[in-house]
Amino acid sequence: MADVLKNKDEVGHVLVQVQDDLRQLKKSLVRMTVHENGQMVDIQALDAAISRTENGIRRHAEEYLKTVNNQGLTLPCIEEPGKTATAKLVKWQPRFETIPNMRQQKSQISGASLGGKHKSAFTMHLLNNPFHPTNMELVHQNYGIQLPLLHKRTGATVGTQRVVAGPTVGSLAVVQGGLPKHLYPKPPSTEEDTNADVSEKSYKWEIDLSREDGMAIGWSTTAGLTSRSICTPPPSAASINSDNRVLAHGLARLSPLKPQNVPLPTAVSKYPFSIVEGQIDPGAPDYCRFKMQYCLCWGAIVEALDQLQQILLDFAVPVARVCGERLAAWVQSGELDWRGGRGRCTHVEKLISMLENKDEVWELMCQPGQCYKGSGGHQAAAVRIQTCWRRYSARAAYLLKLWPKWAAQTVAMWLLKHAKLNHLRKSLQASRLRHLENYRIRAEGLAANWKHITSAKRTIIHVPSLGYSQHQRLRLRGFDILQNTQMCRLCDIRDENVEVIYVSPVSLGEDVLQYYTNLLGLQAAIELGDASAAQNQCAKRFTILMPEALEFFSRQNMCLASLLKYSPRTLKRIKNLIKGKLAYMISGITHVDDLAVADELEVPLLGTEPAVAQLYGTKSGGKRIFSSAGVNMPPGKWDVYTLKQLHEGLAQLMTEHMEVQRWLFKIDGEIGGRGTAYCDVCHLRCHRWAQEEFNRHRPGLWRMSLAQVNAPVMVKILEEVPYLLASYARPVNMSCYPTWASFLENFLREGGVIEAYPPSDSVTCLTVDLLVEPGGEVRMLSCGDQLRGPSSLEVVGCTMPQTSICPDVLHSICTRVGQACQKRSIMGHLSLDLVTFLEPSNLQQQVWAIDLDLGYSNQLAMTELMLMMTGGTLDCHTSKLEVPPPVKEVKPSVRQARLKSKAQTSVTSRFAVMGTRLTHTNLSLVYYRTFFLMCKAQGIGYDVKARKGTVFALHDSRDRRSLGMLTISEHLQGALLTFARNLSVIHQEISGPNMQGTNNFKDLIKDIEEVLGMTIQNQTKSQEEEITTAATEQSDTPHKLTLNESKYL
C-alpha cells in the first residue's frame, strides 16, 4: 500500500488507460469489414474475446480496489457503439485510514524547540484550512494526495479528510478533505437499520402561506408519519373560491399523473432528468448520464435527491424536471445543510430552485391542503383536524373555567373603583364645603371692615376668570383671550392707596408689558397736564403674573381660577407679595376654584357664591330678580324646558300682546348674544284676522277679557306656532347655531326665556355696572349707551355717560335691583342691561330690564382706563363725566392770583366712546410697534394736556386679533366721529382689496352713523325748543310790565 502511495496512483491510471483502449478498439471493429482470402472474418468471435478481456480486467480491478478500500467498486461499462454517452472515470485515491494520525504527530512535536513548535502549529493550521492557497501543496508534499480545487464559500464549516462511503457508491470514490461534514455520504446501513429508519423517522414539510412569494417551506424529522402537520390554519370560507381557482390553475399545468402522459419541458441543462410522482427511474438514460457524470460526489447528491423526492412525494407533485448541473454545483458548494435546525425553509427553497419547472411546482405546493395529497396525507389531515379540534376544545374549556374568575375580578375591580371614587367624591365635597365655610367667614369680616379697607392701603388681586360650565367653555373660541379683555383693571392704581396684582390667563410678551408700564406711568403727566413730565413709580404698585399651568393646559379652555389653583409657584409668589398687607380678591364670574384659590391665599373674595351665581346668573334667574325688585320687564316667559311650554307660552304671549311684532328666544347659559333667536309675527297666516279682532276691543279690555273673547285667536295661533317657528325662526349668531333645529335642541336642554322685542323703531340699550358692597350699599360705577355689532342684539361698545334715560329713573331702577340681589346673598360686581323706547300708543318713554350678569364686565374695565386717562370722575347720579380743566401756561398777574382758587374748582365735562372688543383678523399681520407707528402717522393719539384723544387696550401678544379702543372728546358727536374715523383708517391700513379679513369694524361704523344721525336730530329739536321758549318769554314780557304798572298805580 505504501508503494501505491509512492507511485501516485499509477495502477488507477493503468486501469483507466486499458479501459479506454478497449473501448476504442470496440468502436473500430464496428466500422471495419475484414476479408481474409476472400472470406469475411468472424467479428463476433473477436468481440467475444474483447469482452472476456474486459471482464477480466474489471474483475482484477475490483479485487484490487477491495483490497485498498475494503468496499465494492463497479467500473462503468463499455457502452454499445451506437450510444454516445460517456462516463467520466474518477481518479482513485487512498482511503482515510492510510493518512497518518495527526495526534501522534502532536506528541512527536512536543519535544521540539520553540521555533519548531510554532512552525508545526502553523503547518497544522494550514492543513486544517482547505481553502488556504498552500493547503493543496502541503497535503501533496506530506501525504502524496492530489486534492481537487474547491471554491471558497461563506458560512460553511471546514471538515477533515474523510472517505466517502455509501450503498450506491461502492468502493470507488474518495472525497477530498476540504468538504463540510454534512456532504459526506452515510456509511452503509444494514437492512435492519433501513427498516428501523423507515418505521421510526419521516419527514414533515411545512408551508407558510402568509408569504406572497410562496417560498416558505420547511421540514423537520419527527417520529412516525402521524406527526405530519402544516403550520398554517385551514383556509377560511371566504377564501375557498379564490383558493380553488388558484389550485385549478396550478393543477392544469401539472395535471398528468401518468408518466407516459407527462409532457416534459424542453431541456435547458446538459444533464436534466425527471422525477415523476416523487420517484426517480433508475434506468432512465438521462438519470444514468447524470449519475455517471457526477459519480465522484454521488453520495451527497443522493442525499439531496432523497430529500427532493420526499418533498415532491409529500406534496403530490406529478412531475418535476431537475437541472443536474445546478444540483451538483449546490451540493459541491456545501450550502445544502438541512441537517441543522436553522435555515430549513431556505434550503428547501434552494432544493426546489434546482428544478427547471420550479414556478409550476411552487404554485402547486403553495396551494392550501396540497401537503395532504401526498403519501400519508389522509392520516396527516386527520391528525391535523384532531389537533385543531382538541386545541379548540381545550381552549374553550379553559376560557369557560376562567369566566368565573374573570367575573369575580371585574366585580372586585368595579367595587374598588367605586369605593375610590366615593372616597374621592367625599374628599372633594369636604374640601369644597371647607372652602365655602371659610369664604363665608371671611365675607363677614370683609363686610365689617369694608369702610376701613377702602380707605386704607390695600392690595387688590384681580383674577379675571370666567367660571362658565365646561360645556360652554369648550364651545368658545379663543377663551383665554376672552378672559384677558379686562387688562384695564390695572388702572385701579390711580388710587395711591391701591396696589394691584393681575393674574393673566395668557402669556404676555415684552411689547404688551412695556405698553402698559408706559401707559400707567402717564398718571403724573395727566395730572400736571404736561406730557414731558417724568413718569411716576407706578411699576412698583402693580404686578402681572402668569400661572405656570398655562404651559400644560393651553388647549383645555380651563378658567383662570382652575389654572391658578394648579400653579403652586404663582400662589406662593402672591402670598409673598401680600404678606402683612390688607388684601382681597376680585374674580370675574365666580367658580368653585375661586373659593379654593381664595382659601389658599387666605384672603376674602369680593364676589358671589358659585352656587348662587349659577342660579341667578342665567336669563331666567335674572327675570326672577327683576320680578322681585318690581321693575318693568318685557312680556315673556322664563324657565322654558319643553316644546309644549314653548308653543303654548308663545301663543299666549302673542294673543295677549298683539302690538309686539317680534319675539326673542334666549338660552339660559349663553353669553354675549350667542344664544339668541327671533321670530316675526307678520308671518302668521292668521295675523290679519287676529289684528282685526284685537282692534275691535281696546287693548286694556283685550288683556282683561274673558276667555270667550280671545280664546279663538289663541287657539288659531297655537295651531300655527309650530310651522311658524320651523319656517321663520332665525338664530342671531349663525356661526354658533346655523339652523333653528340646532338652536331649539340647546334651548330645550339648557332652558331659556321667551321675551318681547320693544314695539318701536327707535330702541336704545344701555348697560349699568353696579357694586353691591359687603356692607349692603349699592353703588353705580358706570353707565353707558350700547353700540351694537353685526346684529342689533350683540354689544361691542358703548358711549359714556348715558344720555337715554333720566338719571333719577335710572338710579331708582338700579337701587331696587341691587337690593333684590343683596337679599339673595349676591355680592360684588353686577352688570344690568336696560332698554328704553317710546310707547307707540302714548309716546311715553318705557324702560325695561332685560338682562343681569353677575361679574366684572368689560365696560367697567374700560371705565377705569377712561377715568385714569382723564383724571376725572363719573357721576352716575347726574350722568356726567367731569374732568379738571386743562392747565394753561399764562404769565402771573394780579387778576389771575385773585381767581386762582376759582379756576382750580372749575370742571369740564367729557364724553367717551369705547369699544370693548374690536376684532379684525388682519391685525395679526402687524406687530404692535408697527401698529402704533401707523396710528401716529395717521394722527391717532392722545393729548395729555387737553385730555382727549384715542387710547388702546391690548389683549395678547400671540394672536393679536382683538383690542379695545377708547376715544375721549368734549362732545359726544366729536367722540363718535373720532371713533368711526379711527376704525376706518385702521381697516384701510391693514387690509387690501383682496384681503378684507373677518372683522366687526364695518358694522360698528354703521351703528355709529345711526347714533350720529339721532344725535344731530335731537340737537336740532332741542335748539328749536330753546328758540320757541325764548320767543314766548319775549312776547310775554311787555304784558307783565303793563300789569305791574297798573298795579303800582
Side-chain angles (χ1 to χ4, degrees):
M1 188 61 64
D3 295 334
V4 175
L5 292 174
K6 293 180 181 180
N7 293 329
K8 300 180 181 180
D9 202 11
E10 294 180 356
V11 176
H13 284 287
V14 171
L15 293 176
V16 172
Q17 186 65 33
V18 169
Q19 276 191 323
D20 290 339
D21 294 342
L22 291 175
R23 188 181 298 106
Q24 294 297 332
L25 179 60
K26 194 171 184 179
K27 291 180 180 179
S28 301
L29 291 176
V30 173
R31 293 191 300 266
M32 292 177 56
T33 303
V34 182
H35 297 272
E36 184 178 356
N37 297 327
Q39 296 180 358
M40 183 178 298
V41 179
D42 188 4
I43 301 301
Q44 297 295 335
L46 185 59
D47 189 10
I50 294 174
S51 298
R52 286 193 301 268
T53 305
E54 180 183 1
N55 292 333
I57 294 174
R58 178 181 176 184
R59 184 174 60 257
H60 290 293
E62 289 179 355
E63 292 176 356
Y64 173 74
L65 289 178
K66 284 181 181 180
T67 304
V68 176
N69 293 336
N70 195 22
Q71 294 181 352
L73 178 62
T74 303
L75 294 178
C77 300
I78 300 177
E79 299 182 359
E80 297 297 330
K83 298 181 181 180
T84 59
T86 60
K88 184 177 181 181
L89 185 62
V90 181
K91 186 176 74 171
W92 177 88
Q93 293 182 1
R95 58 178 298 176
F96 180 72
E97 288 78 359
T98 59
I99 300 176
N101 191 356
M102 303 303 300
R103 295 180 181 178
Q104 297 177 1
Q105 294 181 6
K106 289 183 180 180
S107 61
Q108 295 173 2
I109 297 174
S110 59
S113 63
L114 182 62
K117 291 182 179 181
H118 177 72
K119 183 176 180 181
S120 300
F122 182 72
T123 303
M124 291 302 302
H125 177 71
L126 295 181
L127 289 174
N128 292 330
N129 186 8
F131 298 102
H132 196 274
T134 60
N135 178 265
M136 296 176 59
E137 183 178 356
L138 290 175
V139 173
H140 181 67
Q141 292 177 357
N142 296 334
Y143 307 108
I145 299 175
Q146 185 68 31
L147 297 178
L149 180 62
L150 296 179
H151 298 283
K152 187 175 182 180
R153 59 179 179 86
T154 58
T157 305
V158 178
T160 58
Q161 293 182 353
R162 184 176 298 179
V163 178
V164 177
T168 59
V169 177
S171 58
L172 175 64
V174 178
V175 178
Q176 286 77 4
L179 294 178
K181 295 180 179 180
H182 65 277
L183 294 182
Y184 296 119
K186 300 177 182 179
S189 59
T190 61
E191 183 177 359
E192 296 178 357
D193 297 335
T194 304
N195 295 336
D197 184 75
V198 172
S199 61
E200 295 179 0
K201 181 177 289 187
S202 62
Y203 295 93
K204 181 180 73 172
W205 302 93
E206 299 178 354
I207 302 180
D208 187 3
L209 298 178
S210 62
R211 294 183 49 173
E212 297 180 358
D213 55 357
M215 304 290 286
I217 299 179
W219 63 275
S220 62
T221 58
T222 56
L225 294 175
T226 58
S227 63
R228 183 190 304 270
S229 64
I230 186 168
C231 65
T232 59
S236 61
S239 62
I240 292 177
N241 296 332
S242 60
D243 294 342
N244 290 337
R245 288 195 298 269
V246 177
L247 180 60
H249 179 68
L251 291 177
R253 299 183 181 182
L254 301 174
S255 57
L257 298 179
K258 297 181 180 180
Q260 59 272 20
N261 297 331
V262 175
L264 297 179
T266 305
V268 296
S269 63
K270 188 174 180 181
Y271 300 101
F273 59 93
S274 301
I275 301 178
V276 179
E277 295 181 355
Q279 299 294 333
I280 300 177
D281 185 8
D286 51 359
Y287 178 74
C288 293
R289 288 194 300 270
F290 171 72
K291 179 178 179 182
M292 188 174 299
Q293 178 67 24
Y294 298 100
C295 60
L296 182 61
C297 57
W298 188 248
I301 293 177
V302 166
E303 190 169 357
L305 288 176
D306 290 341
Q307 303 300 328
L308 183 59
Q309 290 182 81
Q310 188 65 37
I311 295 173
L312 300 178
L313 183 62
D314 289 344
F315 287 91
V317 178
V319 61
R321 191 72 172 172
V322 183
C323 180
E325 293 90 334
R326 197 182 307 165
L327 179 61
W330 279 107
V331 169
Q332 293 177 359
S333 65
E335 296 186 7
L336 290 176
D337 186 9
W338 50 80
R339 297 185 183 183
R342 300 180 180 178
R344 292 177 179 176
C345 294
T346 304
H347 296 314
V348 171
E349 292 176 5
K350 292 179 180 179
L351 281 176
I352 301 300
S353 65
M354 302 297 104
L355 304 178
E356 294 181 353
N357 58 338
K358 58 183 178 180
D359 296 334
E360 291 81 358
V361 173
W362 271 118
E363 186 175 356
L364 180 62
M365 292 175 64
C366 293
Q367 300 300 326
Q370 185 65 28
C371 61
Y372 301 113
K373 296 181 181 181
S375 60
H378 293 284
Q379 184 178 1
V383 171
R384 182 63 177 174
I385 293 173
Q386 292 177 4
T387 302
C388 294
W389 173 251
R390 290 174 181 173
R391 180 179 60 185
Y392 171 76
S393 301
R395 179 65 178 173
Y398 175 73
L399 294 177
L400 186 62
K401 187 176 181 180
L402 285 182
W403 179 262
K405 183 179 180 181
W406 174 85
Q409 291 178 353
T410 303
V411 173
M413 291 177 62
W414 185 87
L415 290 176
L416 182 61
K417 181 179 179 181
H418 181 70
K420 289 184 177 180
L421 288 178
N422 285 339
H423 178 72
L424 179 61
R425 189 179 295 109
K426 291 180 181 179
S427 176
L428 289 176
Q429 289 177 356
S431 176
R432 290 176 179 176
L433 183 60
R434 183 178 66 255
H435 296 161
L436 182 59
E437 292 176 354
N438 294 336
Y439 160 78
R440 291 174 179 174
I441 294 173
R442 294 190 181 98
E444 294 177 358
L446 184 65
N449 302 320
W450 179 251
K451 291 184 179 180
H452 170 69
I453 292 175
T454 54
S455 61
K457 289 188 176 182
R458 60 195 181 275
T459 302
I460 303 177
I461 305 171
H462 282 286
V463 182
S465 175
L466 299 179
Y468 299 131
S469 63
Q470 184 179 4
H471 174 71
Q472 293 174 329
R473 286 187 275 110
L474 293 178
R475 295 180 59 186
L476 291 173
R477 297 180 180 177
F479 181 70
D480 52 348
I481 300 176
L482 185 63
Q483 293 185 110
N484 202 43
T485 54
Q486 299 179 5
M487 283 202 70
C488 296
R489 294 189 185 195
L490 294 169
C491 297
D492 283 343
I493 64 171
R494 61 190 177 89
D495 188 351
E496 296 180 355
N497 295 328
V498 175
E499 294 181 0
V500 174
I501 299 176
Y502 181 83
V503 182
S504 174
V506 295
S507 298
L508 300 177
E510 291 295 333
D511 49 356
V512 176
L513 298 177
Q514 187 66 27
Y515 173 77
Y516 279 103
T517 302
N518 296 334
L519 182 66
L520 297 175
L522 293 176
Q523 186 176 1
I526 293 172
E527 292 177 356
L528 299 176
D530 185 8
S532 61
Q535 295 184 357
N536 58 357
Q537 300 297 326
C538 65
K540 296 181 180 180
R541 293 197 292 118
F542 78 92
T543 306
I544 300 177
L545 301 178
M546 289 162 281
E548 63 269 19
L550 288 174
E551 302 177 1
F552 308 102
F553 307 103
S554 58
R555 298 184 180 180
Q556 279 71 25
N557 279 16
M558 297 175 63
C559 64
L560 181 57
S562 300
L563 294 174
L564 185 58
K565 177 182 177 181
Y566 300 114
S567 302
R569 287 183 294 178
T570 306
L571 291 175
K572 184 177 180 181
R573 186 176 179 187
I574 294 176
K575 287 182 180 180
N576 295 332
L577 291 174
I578 64 175
K579 188 174 183 180
K581 301 179 182 179
L582 291 176
Y584 61 91
M585 181 175 130
I586 299 178
S587 180
I589 298 175
T590 54
H591 188 266
V592 291
D593 289 337
D594 286 297
L595 303 183
V597 171
D599 188 61
E600 180 69 22
L601 298 176
E602 298 180 354
V603 295
L605 173 64
L606 184 60
T608 311
E609 292 183 14
V612 178
Q614 185 178 3
L615 178 61
Y616 293 103
T618 61
K619 309 296 182 183
S620 299
K623 297 296 181 181
R624 288 192 290 269
I625 292 178
F626 297 152
S627 178
S628 64
V631 298
N632 294 332
M633 294 184 300
K637 299 283 185 180
W638 55 85
D639 291 329
V640 179
Y641 289 94
T642 63
L643 191 62
K644 183 179 179 180
Q645 285 181 315
L646 176 64
H647 292 168
E648 292 180 354
L650 182 58
Q652 182 180 354
L653 292 173
M654 285 183 176
T655 305
E656 295 177 355
H657 305 276
M658 295 296 297
E659 71 279 3
V660 178
Q661 301 299 316
R662 173 175 288 185
W663 292 93
L664 304 179
F665 311 94
K666 298 181 179 180
I667 301 177
D668 276 340
E670 287 291 358
I671 60 171
R674 287 167 47 92
T676 305
Y678 65 91
C679 182
D680 295 329
V681 182
C682 61
H683 298 293
L684 279 172
R685 288 174 290 185
C686 64
H687 180 258
R688 181 177 297 179
W689 170 76
Q691 195 68 35
E692 292 176 357
E693 291 292 327
F694 175 73
N695 293 333
R696 288 171 54 188
H697 306 80
R698 293 192 301 271
L701 182 61
W702 176 265
R703 296 187 181 95
M704 298 175 58
S705 61
L706 300 177
Q708 61 269 18
V709 177
N710 54 15
V713 178
M714 181 176 176
V715 172
K716 188 66 175 176
I717 293 176
L718 182 59
E719 293 177 357
E720 297 186 14
V721 162
Y723 174 77
L724 176 68
L725 295 178
S727 302
Y728 299 102
R730 294 289 183 271
V732 173
N733 195 330
M734 302 293 289
S735 60
C736 299
Y737 302 100
T739 62
W740 166 254
S742 60
F743 178 87
L744 181 62
E745 181 182 357
N746 286 271
F747 182 88
L748 298 178
R749 183 177 64 249
E750 300 181 16
V753 300
I754 307 172
E755 184 180 289
Y757 188 79
S760 176
D761 295 334
S762 178
V763 179
T764 303
C765 299
L766 64 154
T767 302
V768 182
D769 288 297
L770 306 176
L771 174 61
V772 180
E773 296 181 350
E777 185 179 353
V778 179
R779 290 174 50 197
M780 295 175 61
L781 301 180
S782 69
C783 56
D785 297 327
Q786 295 178 358
L787 294 177
R788 298 289 175 163
S791 67
S792 59
L793 301 176
E794 295 183 14
V795 182
V796 293
C798 66
T799 62
M800 192 171 294
Q802 66 86 23
T803 57
S804 302
I805 303 177
C806 177
D808 296 333
V809 176
L810 181 61
H811 182 265
S812 175
I813 294 174
C814 294
T815 302
R816 284 182 288 173
V817 172
Q819 291 175 355
C821 292
Q822 185 183 11
K823 292 179 181 179
R824 287 164 175 78
S825 302
I826 297 176
M827 180 182 63
H829 295 87
L830 313 175
S831 181
L832 175 63
D833 291 340
L834 305 173
V835 61
T836 179
F837 62 97
L838 296 178
E839 184 72 27
S841 60
N842 52 18
L843 296 180
Q844 294 182 357
Q845 187 179 23
Q846 298 290 332
V847 181
W848 289 348
I850 58 176
D851 198 5
L852 180 65
D853 295 327
L854 306 182
Y856 203 101
S857 68
N858 295 340
Q859 175 179 301
L860 182 57
M862 294 296 292
T863 302
E864 296 293 336
L865 177 62
M866 178 193 69
L867 295 177
M868 193 199 73
M869 296 305 298
T870 58
T873 58
L874 178 62
D875 188 359
C876 296
H877 295 280
T878 59
S879 296
K880 288 185 179 180
L881 174 60
E882 298 176 347
V883 299
V887 179
K888 298 182 180 180
E889 296 181 358
V890 183
K891 295 181 179 181
S893 61
V894 177
R895 181 179 179 84
Q896 184 179 3
R898 292 177 181 177
L899 301 178
K900 182 177 180 181
S901 59
K902 184 178 180 179
Q904 290 178 350
T905 58
S906 62
V907 293
T908 305
S909 62
R910 289 287 187 271
F911 289 88
V913 179
M914 57 185 67
T916 56
R917 194 183 184 198
L918 306 176
T919 59
H920 202 303
T921 54
N922 291 347
L923 284 172
S924 61
L925 305 177
V926 182
Y927 289 100
Y928 285 134
R929 180 180 180 85
T930 307
F931 175 78
F932 288 125
L933 291 176
M934 177 188 66
C935 292
K936 183 178 180 180
Q938 295 295 333
I940 301 175
Y942 187 77
D943 188 353
V944 175
K945 185 176 182 180
R947 297 180 181 177
K948 61 181 180 180
T950 303
V951 182
F952 295 97
L954 307 182
H955 295 163
D956 72 307
S957 302
R958 183 187 61 189
D959 293 340
R960 303 190 304 277
R961 295 185 179 182
S962 65
L963 51 79
M965 185 170 67
L966 171 69
T967 58
I968 304 173
S969 181
E970 297 175 352
H971 306 283
L972 178 59
Q973 185 177 358
L976 289 170
L977 288 174
T978 304
F979 196 90
R981 176 185 175 275
N982 293 345
L983 291 178
S984 178
V985 169
I986 293 173
H987 176 71
Q988 293 177 3
E989 290 291 333
I990 66 177
S991 303
N994 299 326
M995 192 177 63
Q996 294 294 312
T998 304
N999 61 87
N1000 57 2
F1001 285 19
K1002 296 180 180 179
D1003 298 315
L1004 189 54
I1005 292 174
K1006 183 179 179 181
D1007 190 55
I1008 291 175
E1009 291 176 353
E1010 295 178 359
V1011 175
L1012 284 173
M1014 294 178 60
T1015 304
I1016 296 173
Q1017 185 178 359
N1018 294 335
Q1019 288 180 355
T1020 304
K1021 289 182 180 180
S1022 63
Q1023 291 177 1
E1024 291 178 356
E1025 291 178 357
E1026 291 178 358
I1027 293 173
T1028 305
T1029 304
T1032 304
E1033 291 178 356
Q1034 290 178 2
S1035 62
D1036 293 341
T1037 301
H1039 179 65
K1040 292 180 180 179
L1041 291 174
T1042 304
L1043 291 176
N1044 292 333
E1045 291 174 357
S1046 62
K1047 185 177 181 182
Y1048 176 76
L1049 294 173

